Amino acid sequence: MKKKMLAAILAASMMAMTITGCGDNRKTADDAGEAQSTEAASSEEAASTEAGEATEEATEESSDAAEEAEAETSEDAAETEDEEATEESKDEYVIGISQFAEHGSLDNCREGFLQGLANEGIVEGENLTVHFQNAQADTGTASQISDAFVADGVDLICGIATPSAMSAYNSALGTTVPVIYSAVSDPVAAELAKEDGTPVGNITGTSDALAVTEQLDMIRKMLPDAKKIGILYTTSETNSESTIAQYKEHAEEYGFEIVDSGINTLADLDMAAADLVTKVDCINNLTDNTVVSGLQTVLSYAKEQKIPVFGSEVEQVKVGCVAAMGLDYVKLGIQTGEMAAKVLKGESEASEMPFEVISEPSLYVNTKAAEEIGMTLDDSFVSGAAEVYDNIAAN
C-alpha cells in the first residue's frame, strides 16, 4: 500500500514539473516572438525614418540645385543684359569741344571736325552728343572748360588751338579721357608731343604748322623791294613764339628782317598795331588766336599806311588780308575728326598715334583788299591761286 501511494505521489510530481516547463517555454517563445515583432517594427520604423530623411535630403538637394540653377540663370541673364547694354553704350558717344577763340579759322576747324566724325559714322544728334564751349581767348576759362568736361565724364575732349589743347591735356591727366587737338602749330614746343612726333600721354591730333618758307617766297614775289616784315603775337601763346622763331631763321634767305611786337591781351593790340605799321613794309599775320580775334584793328591801321597784311589761312584772306600761302581749316578739322573716330571706336589709342600735319598749303588772294591799298597784283600770280576773292567779307 505504501508502495502504491509513493508511486502515485511521484507520478503527480513529474506531471506538475512537465506542465510548469511547458508554460515557461511558451512564454519564452512568446517573448521571443514579441521581441522579433518589436525588432521588425523598429527596423521598419528605422527604415521608414531613413527613407523619409533620404527623401527630405534629396528634396532639399533638389531644391538647392534648382535655386543654384535659377541663380546661375539670373546671373547669366544679367551678364547678357550688361553685355548688351555695353554694346549699346559703345554706339553712343559724348564729347566735349573746347575752342580757344571765336574766329573763322577755328570755327572752320570745328565744322570740319564734326564732319570727319560723321564720315566715320559718328553723327551729332544720332549717336553723338556734343558739349561745345568757347574760351573767348582766355586761358583761365579754357582750363575751367576742360575741368568741367572731365568732371562730366565725357568720352573724349577735342581742344581747338594750342591753349585749349594744353588745358585739356592737363585736366585729363590721371584719367582715362583721351584728348584730340587741332590747330596746334607746334605740338612739340607745346609739350604735347615728343621730338619724334609721338604723344607725351593720352593725347594726339593735327598740327596747323605754317608754311613759313612758302609764305616768305610769296611775299618776296609780291613785294620785290620790301625789307621789313612786321609780326604781332601774344606772348603767352607758345605756338606764336615758335612760329616767329622759324620766320627769323629763314627771313634772311629771302632778304627780309622780322620786326615782332608782343602783346599780353587783346586790349594791348590797338597800340601795338598802330606803332608797328609805321616801322615795316608789310604785316604778316600768324594763327595767333588773340591777334586774329582783333584782325580788323590790324587791317585798319595797315590800310591807313597803305601797306599790305598777309594772312596765314583762307579766312583771313576773305576778311581783308591781301594773300596767304595758307591752310584749309575745314580739311584740317576733317582729318582731326577721323582720328578722333578711331579713338572713340576703340580702333586706336590716342597715346599710340603720332600727331599729323595737313598737306601742302594753297595760295589764296583777295583782289579787293589789294585795290584798297593801291597795290597791283600780277595777273599770272592771281591766276595761279587756289581761290580768288574780289570782295571783303564782313567779320
Side-chain angles (χ1 to χ4, degrees), residues 156 296 322 391:
L156 178 146
Q296 290 304 314
V322 171
N391 60 74

Side-chain angles (χ1 to χ4, degrees), residues 219-227 256:
I219 295 173
R220 174 50 70 206
K221 289 175 180 176
M222 296 183 74
L223 299 175
D225 301 323
K227 295 180 180 179
F256 291 119

Side-chain angles (χ1 to χ4, degrees), residues 340-383:
K342 292 179 181 178
V343 174
L344 287 171
K345 291 179 178 181
E347 297 173 359
S348 300
E349 296 286 338
S351 59
E352 299 172 353
M353 301 169 67
F355 74 84
E356 299 179 6
V357 296
I358 199 168
S359 57
E360 293 298 318
S362 300
L363 173 62
Y364 303 99
V365 176
N366 191 318
T367 55
K368 181 64 175 178
E371 180 185 321
E372 288 195 346
I373 60 171
M375 181 179 180
T376 302
L377 299 176
D378 187 274
D379 289 340
S380 62
F381 183 81
V382 175
S383 62

Side-chain angles (χ1 to χ4, degrees), residues 164-235:
S164 285
M166 293 173 70
S167 294
Y169 176 61
N170 289 331
S171 296
L173 278 175
T175 75
T176 58
V177 180
V179 177
I180 304 294
Y181 56 78
S182 191
V184 172
S185 298
D186 192 340
V188 176
E191 298 183 351
L192 301 177
K194 301 173 185 176
E195 290 290 342
D196 61 358
T198 57
V200 294
N202 199 23
I203 181 169
T204 189
T206 58
S207 170
D208 62 343
L210 299 182
V212 173
T213 56
E214 290 89 342
Q215 183 88 344
L216 287 168
D217 183 60
M218 178 197 71
I219 295 173
R220 174 50 70 206
K221 289 175 180 176
M222 296 183 74
L223 299 175
D225 301 323
K227 295 180 180 179
K228 295 182 179 181
I229 298 176
I231 298 179
L232 290 156
Y233 73 103
T234 307
T235 55

